[in-house]
Amino acid sequence: MITGLDHIAVAVPDLEKAVKRFLEDFGLTYEGTEDVESAKTSTAFFPLPPTSIELVHPLNGEGPIAKYLEKKGGGLHHLCFRTDDIHADVARLKEKGYQFLADAPSPGAHDCLVIFIHPKSCDGVLIELSQPPAGH
Amino acid sequence: MITGLDHIAVAVPDLEKAVKRFLEDFGLTYEGTEDVESAKTSTAFFPLPPTSIELVHPLNGEGPIAKYLEKKGGGLHHLCFRTDDIHADVARLKEKGYQFLADAPSPGAHDCLVIFIHPKSCDGVLIELSQPPAGH
C-alpha cells in the first residue's frame, strides 16, 4: 500500500549551485549528498518531513539524469511514493496495466527497494515506488 | 520565510481519469476539485499533510496549462513553497537576482496569495510561492 510521498526529485545541471540555492535562497535544511551507484546519481537531500526534496545530478556524467539534462537542461524529474509492500503494489499495478522501467524492485538510495513506473502509464509523469528497509 | 512544501502540481490531460488514478490506483485521499479562475485551472486536491498533490487541468481549455499540455502531453508542472511573508520573500529573492512571472503576488486557490518564480531563475524548475490567508 502507498503510505505517503517519499520525495520529489529535481534534476539539476550544477549540483553545488543548486544545493546553495535550496539552502541559502529557499532556506531549506540540507542533510548531505549521497552517491547512488545503482541510479548513477549524486543526490542531495533536503528533508521536509515526512517528505523531502532530492536534487539529482549525474554521477560521473553518465546515466538517465545525464540524458535528461542534455534534453531539458533541468527540471522536476520524478515523484516517489513510499510503500509498505513494494512487491504487492507492483503486482497490483501490473494487474491494472501499469508498465515499469524494470522487471523487479532493486536497491536505491538509503537502502530502500525502488522501482519506477513507466511515464507512459501515468500521462508523462515519472513515478517511483520506494520501500524503506525493515525498521525504518 | 519559506516554511514548507505547500504542494506539487501535476498537469494532466484528462482530469477525471487522473483523479481516478491517484484515488483508486495510488490510494491517495481526494479532497475535491476547485475551479481557480485566476490561474485558469480546474485543480483536484490530494492532501498528504503537511503537503499535497494537486492535479491541474485547463479551465475551459485555456491558459498556461493548456499550452503546457499541447507541448508535453502532461507531467510534473511546478512545486510550491509556503511562506509566512510572501512580499518579504519576493523582495529578498529579487535582490538576489530572481525573476518572477508577475510584478506582485495575486490571489490563487484557497484564497492564498501566490506568485511564480521564472523557471529560468531556477534551472528550468517552475516554483510557486504561496502565503495562506491570515488564520490558516
Side-chain angles (χ1 to χ4, degrees):
Chain A
M1 197 180 85
I2 287 169
T3 58
L5 182 67
D6 191 79
H7 64 264
I8 304 103
V10 181
V12 299
D14 181 330
L15 188 57
E16 198 179 334
K17 196 179 134 199
V19 165
K20 209 173 147 173
R21 175 193 309 294
F22 279 76
L23 176 61
E24 295 179 7
D25 299 352
F26 298 152
L28 304 194
T29 302
Y30 172 52
E31 204 182 53
T33 294
E34 180 183 339
D35 286 348
V36 186
E37 297 281 349
S38 56
K40 295 186 179 165
T41 61
S42 277
T43 301
F45 298 92
F46 291 84
L48 286 155
T51 188
S52 71
I53 290 178
E54 297 186 3
L55 305 182
V56 292
H57 184 77
L59 187 62
N60 308 320
E62 290 174 357
I65 302 300
K67 281 182 194 161
Y68 178 93
L69 291 176
E70 261 171 45
K71 264 197 212 164
K72 309 199 178 183
L76 295 173
H77 188 261
H78 67 267
L79 56 81
C80 175
F81 289 125
R82 207 174 296 128
T83 162
D84 57 6
D85 188 342
I86 196 166
H87 295 288
D89 278 324
V90 168
R92 184 176 61 78
L93 292 169
K94 277 188 178 169
E95 185 82 11
K96 285 175 180 270
Y98 284 81
Q99 292 182 47
F100 289 81
L101 295 186
D103 291 333
S106 61
H110 290 158
D111 296 321
C112 293
L113 264 184
V114 305
I115 194 166
F116 285 89
I117 302 174
H118 199 298
K120 75 182 176 188
S121 291
C122 296
D123 294 325
V125 181
L126 180 61
I127 293 180
E128 183 181 15
L129 301 178
S130 172
Q131 181 176 349
H136 282 74
Chain B
M1 196 180 84
I2 286 168
T3 58
L5 183 67
D6 191 79
H7 63 263
I8 303 104
V10 182
V12 299
D14 181 330
L15 187 58
E16 198 179 336
K17 196 178 135 202
V19 165
K20 210 174 143 162
R21 174 193 310 293
F22 279 77
L23 176 60
E24 295 179 7
D25 299 352
F26 298 153
L28 304 194
T29 303
Y30 172 51
E31 204 182 53
T33 293
E34 180 183 340
D35 286 348
V36 186
E37 297 282 350
S38 57
K40 295 187 180 166
T41 62
S42 277
T43 302
F45 296 93
F46 291 84
L48 286 155
T51 188
S52 70
I53 290 178
E54 297 187 3
L55 305 181
V56 291
H57 185 76
L59 186 62
N60 307 320
E62 291 173 356
I65 302 300
K67 282 184 192 161
Y68 178 93
L69 291 176
E70 261 172 45
K71 265 199 212 164
K72 309 201 177 180
L76 295 173
H77 188 261
H78 68 266
L79 56 81
C80 175
F81 289 125
R82 206 174 297 128
T83 162
D84 56 7
D85 188 342
I86 195 166
H87 295 289
D89 277 325
V90 169
R92 185 176 60 79
L93 292 169
K94 276 187 177 170
E95 186 80 12
K96 284 174 180 274
Y98 283 81
Q99 292 182 45
F100 289 81
L101 295 185
D103 291 333
S106 61
H110 290 159
D111 296 319
C112 293
L113 264 183
V114 304
I115 194 166
F116 285 89
I117 302 174
H118 199 297
K120 74 181 175 188
S121 291
C122 296
D123 294 325
V125 182
L126 181 60
I127 293 181
E128 183 182 15
L129 301 179
S130 173
Q131 181 177 348
H136 283 74

